[in-house]
Amino acid sequence: MKKIKYLLALCLILAFVGAFVACGNNSNVADTSMVENTQRGGSAADDAGNAGKDIIDGAGNAGKDVIDGAGDAGKDVIDKAGDAGKDVIDGVKDAVDDAGNAVKKSVDGGNNN
């Protein structure tokens, strides 16, 4: 309990000394608090506006990236489907040719001239 009393007394003394030292009057200095507050307010508003713009730009870029990625993926699917279709057609054509050759060979009696 004594430590708390000493700590409280020390805090009060420091507060009193701080208030006494801080209460000086310098009449040669112009009051610029309104200018500083205006500048800070403008800067804060600019910072907030820039942050909002950055968020919007980032969201727009992310959306564009998603759309571009989806378009590329769709193009790849279409290209691969087209290639697969060509492969199926080529395979069917080869099978028909092979079947035709086999029939011709059997009709010719093994002589494929």
Side-chain angles (χ1 to χ4, degrees):
M1 189 69 174
K2 283 186 177 183
K3 290 181 182 180
I4 293 175
K5 286 182 183 179
Y6 289 129
L7 184 61
L8 183 59
L10 179 64
C11 289
L12 289 174
I13 291 170
L14 288 175
F16 175 75
V17 171
F20 181 73
V21 173
C23 289
N25 185 9
N26 189 351
S27 60
N28 294 330
V29 177
D31 183 14
T32 60
S33 62
M34 290 299 289
V35 174
E36 290 173 5
N37 288 340
T38 303
Q39 289 174 349
R40 284 190 208 130
S43 178
D46 291 342
D47 291 346
N50 290 337
K53 183 178 178 294
D54 290 345
I55 290 169
I56 291 169
D57 289 346
N61 290 338
K64 184 177 178 287
D65 290 345
V66 168
I67 291 168
D68 289 346
D72 291 343
K75 184 177 179 291
D76 290 345
V77 168
I78 292 168
D79 290 345
K80 297 299 180 189
D83 292 343
K86 287 179 189 175
D87 291 344
V88 169
I89 292 170
D90 290 344
V92 170
K93 183 179 177 190
D94 291 343
V96 169
D97 288 345
D98 290 345
N101 289 337
V103 170
K104 183 177 180 189
K105 188 174 185 181
S106 69
V107 170
D108 289 343
N111 295 328
N112 194 6
N113 293 330

